[in-house]
Amino acid sequence: MTDSWRISRRSGNLARRAAIIGELRSFFTARGYLETETPFRIPAPAPESHIDAVPADGWFLQTSPEICMKRLLAAGYERIFQICRCWRTAERGSRHLPEFTMLEWYRTGTDYRGLMEECEELLREVAKGTGFGQSISFRGKEIRLDASWERLSVRESFERYGGMPMEDALTGGVFDEVVAERIEPMLGLDRPTFLYDYPAELGALARLRADDPTVAERFELYIGGLELANAFSELTDTAEQRSRFMGEATVRAARGQLPYPLPEKFLAELADMPPAAGIALGVDRLVMLLLDAERIDDVVAFTPEEL
Amino acid sequence: MYTVADLRKGLKITLDGDPYLVIAFDFAKPGKGQALYRTKMRNMINGTILDRTYRSGETFEPAFLEDRTMEYLYKDDDGFHFMDNQSYEQFAIPESALGDAKNYLIDNIKVDVLLFKEKPIGVDLPNFVNLRVVQTDPWVKGDTSGSDSKPATVETGYVLRVPPFIEEGELITIDTRTGEYSTRVKG
């Protein structure tokens, strides 16, 4: 059986996708960001307990360009961005592809709050530049991009929507379920929401808040219940980063996940990295949002099942 | 034995001794968290719908069902009637137990009827079926509306989107797993 008709019907979506990616690029170029192309195949991905890299000829396909881009920061680059493919084993659903397109950008001299502002500017400009305007309609909701974006701490979100305090969800081992089932569907429904200050143990590469070390300076951007981006104030303490990686590696080993070597060059250079913040935004998700697509399948040329 | 990686729409598993059909499935992963497998399942005996979320590592027993190839005969108030061509036994399955399968039942089509403790509770269809288009608007050459599909009704009464060039009377192939148009049957 042929998939031609289904694939041909996406041509309008793919044209809009290309326009959106063009706007993303113009936004960063106009702001003095350097577009980088770091290698896809790397010897040591960041060990994270719930992300699995695809092995590739002794090394791994990147799960994100994070490690190489932070090495560029440590080497003195101040504003960098990249739009590239990333791979994560066994992630497939209406919002997930095992091979997907990520936009990452990093900036020195700012923190996660600075990136929240830049996120707002980026999305407003991209929506405007591609003719979507400042009010986007997604799954029956009208979302105003020009309204002030909501900033909601993870702790507050548990109180408001979770039906239990954040601490109870953590000790009870149901944090992810509560976020996925009760909190996420309520976020960013009339204006975008930044969900911020994650429990310290859920930000492997994020700096802890100086005034409250129980939380990490990390946020996720949600629009229309869709998770779009994840950002950190970057951790620049080498010893702390090494010990967090070891912790994640221990969790991975206990679960029988593939071990990775530690990214030693990254760790060695981290001490030279100035204060910085970085963010990863799912490009396929952004296209889904602007096009009001039901499935991620609708915004890519091919799904793995069609190969 | 199935694992969470096998979960998909159409899978049949055993829960508390009853056969369940997965009618909706999605993968979720909230913000760098663990993978969650969200399913909606229908109890194939009493029709109860269940929402369940699973994590990696969970396993499932397949549903223990007997399947017998039967021919679809006709529909009446008791439901859809099928005949086992080996034993000439006839069975009626209520419409509610058929789900989307009723969209593809044309006279004399052969399907796998599923039996649980001798009782028919559903059918398994071939992945692709050919059905004739009985109604669709003609394609106006030079149509500039930019529309890339149009509705069409097939002989079972099912309505789906097809490419603009499909005409009434044509035979088309439908993917029964998604309910979508697949190709035109040539000749």
Side-chain angles (χ1 to χ4, degrees):
Chain A
M1 291 306 141
T2 141
D3 295 315
S4 295
W5 186 56
R6 190 172 339 115
I7 294 165
S8 76
R9 285 187 73 192
R10 294 180 193 140
S11 64
N13 286 358
L14 295 188
R16 277 170 289 212
R17 175 189 175 103
I20 291 165
I21 291 175
E23 285 293 325
L24 293 172
R25 212 164 242 131
S26 321
F27 177 89
F28 288 105
T29 307
R31 288 178 168 228
Y33 278 80
L34 174 69
E35 180 165 12
T36 64
E37 292 179 281
T38 60
F40 289 168
R41 198 173 69 93
I42 55 173
E48 292 191 73
S49 32
H50 301 301
I51 298 178
D52 286 310
V54 178
D57 199 14
W59 286 8
F60 297 90
L61 295 179
Q62 65 179 2
T63 58
S64 131
E66 183 166 17
I67 296 280
C68 283
M69 292 187 79
K70 286 195 201 168
R71 288 185 63 192
L72 291 175
L73 294 180
Y77 293 77
E78 293 177 347
R79 289 173 168 241
I80 47 177
F81 82 101
Q82 179 155 203
I83 296 170
C84 62
R85 289 303 175 108
C86 296
W87 291 261
R88 294 180 181 183
T89 302
E91 299 199 359
R92 181 69 175 108
S94 62
R95 300 166 176 202
H96 289 85
L97 287 168
E99 174 177 344
F100 61 100
T101 302
M102 190 92 103
L103 159 67
E104 291 210 3
W105 76 95
Y106 292 82
R107 196 171 105 209
T108 56
T110 191
D111 64 5
Y112 70 149
R113 293 190 178 272
L115 284 186
M116 287 184 196
E117 284 164 26
E118 202 161 32
C119 250
E120 296 192 22
E121 290 154 5
L122 172 70
L123 264 75
R124 286 183 187 132
E125 211 167 299
V126 168
K128 191 168 141 214
T130 46
F132 290 97
Q134 295 304 293
S135 172
I136 48 177
S137 133
F138 185 68
R139 301 192 178 161
K141 304 276 183 205
E142 286 300 316
I143 304 156
R144 300 295 313 190
L145 295 180
D146 51 0
S148 78
W149 293 20
E150 182 183 31
R151 284 158 170 76
L152 181 68
S153 75
V154 176
R155 193 182 303 276
E156 288 166 335
S157 77
F158 271 82
E159 280 156 22
R160 198 178 297 176
Y161 308 117
M164 68 173 77
M166 181 177 88
E167 284 71 16
D168 291 5
L170 285 168
T171 50
V174 294
F175 184 90
D176 291 331
E177 278 87 349
V178 174
V179 171
E181 289 169 13
R182 300 183 188 167
I183 299 176
E184 283 190 342
M186 306 306 294
L187 301 180
L189 299 187
D190 53 1
R191 57 189 172 136
T193 298
F194 292 113
L195 189 64
Y196 71 97
D197 284 358
Y198 277 71
E201 59 269 40
L202 301 180
L205 294 103
R207 180 173 81 194
L208 300 184
R209 260 185 89 132
D211 58 350
D212 179 4
T214 64
V215 295
E217 291 191 1
R218 169 185 163 199
F219 74 78
E220 293 262 0
L221 169 62
Y222 285 90
I223 306 184
L226 190 64
E227 178 192 333
L228 275 183
N230 175 74
F232 301 140
S233 301
E234 301 297 346
L235 179 63
T236 51
D237 179 330
T238 310
E240 171 73 15
Q241 184 67 78
R242 180 180 294 276
S243 107
R244 294 220 209 144
F245 277 168
M246 306 282 270
E248 296 282 325
T250 308
V251 173
R252 291 183 59 84
R255 287 214 211 94
Q257 288 165 285
L258 204 57
Y260 310 142
L262 278 184
E264 289 295 348
K265 287 192 177 172
F266 162 75
L267 286 168
E269 291 160 6
L270 193 57
D272 298 328
M273 193 171 112
I279 175 164
L281 183 149
V283 172
D284 313 283
R285 299 255 184 102
L286 175 63
V287 179
M288 279 179 78
L289 173 79
L290 291 174
L291 271 52
D292 196 6
E294 200 175 325
R295 297 181 57 83
I296 199 165
D297 306 36
D298 302 334
V299 302
V300 293
F302 291 93
T303 63
E305 296 77 16
E306 287 160 352
L307 295 175
Chain B
M1 185 88 91
Y2 295 124
T3 70
V4 287
D6 299 311
L7 284 171
R8 61 176 193 280
K9 204 175 150 188
L11 191 76
K12 297 175 212 60
I13 62 172
T14 299
L15 274 186
D16 310 321
D18 278 359
Y20 278 82
L21 174 72
V22 176
I23 54 175
F25 166 72
D26 203 3
F27 170 88
K29 208 171 187 203
K32 287 184 179 269
Q34 63 189 312
L36 300 173
Y37 302 81
R38 306 176 73 178
T39 61
K40 193 184 276 290
M41 294 178 286
R42 189 176 71 216
N43 182 310
M44 296 179 74
I45 295 171
N46 59 30
T48 316
I49 307 283
L50 262 191
D51 285 297
R52 286 273 175 97
T53 299
Y54 297 101
R55 291 182 175 190
S56 297
E58 305 224 32
T59 56
F60 312 91
E61 287 296 332
F64 296 104
L65 301 172
E66 182 198 351
D67 58 86
R68 279 159 70 179
T69 305
M70 296 193 201
E71 188 176 324
Y72 170 60
L73 299 176
Y74 62 92
K75 179 196 168 191
D76 66 13
D77 292 346
D78 296 333
F80 291 73
H81 294 258
F82 297 85
M83 182 169 71
D84 183 332
N85 281 336
Q86 307 262 292
S87 66
Y88 302 107
E89 249 182 303
Q90 290 193 19
F91 296 90
I93 304 179
E95 184 167 341
S96 60
L98 282 177
D100 295 339
K102 65 174 187 292
N103 295 333
Y104 314 107
L105 292 176
I106 44 167
D107 292 355
N108 309 114
I109 188 176
K110 291 200 173 53
V111 298
D112 285 335
V113 170
L114 305 169
L115 298 107
F116 183 73
K117 295 181 178 161
E118 313 280 308
K119 193 176 170 304
I121 57 169
V123 300
D124 255 356
L125 292 163
N127 288 342
F128 295 98
V129 296
N130 293 339
L131 291 173
R132 200 163 295 283
V133 175
V134 295
Q135 199 283 317
T136 190
D137 291 335
W139 183 27
V140 184
K141 262 229 164 90
D143 175 13
T144 51
S145 68
S147 168
D148 57 2
S149 71
K150 61 178 184 178
T153 309
V154 294
E155 53 196 304
T156 56
Y158 176 53
V159 180
L160 75 167
R161 308 291 302 181
V162 300
F165 56 77
I166 294 293
E167 292 169 14
E168 273 181 23
E170 280 195 282
L171 205 55
I172 59 170
T173 301
I174 301 174
D175 187 331
T176 61
R177 295 163 297 183
T178 59
E180 287 173 9
Y181 166 90
S182 179
T183 49
R184 168 158 62 169
V185 181
K186 299 239 165 65

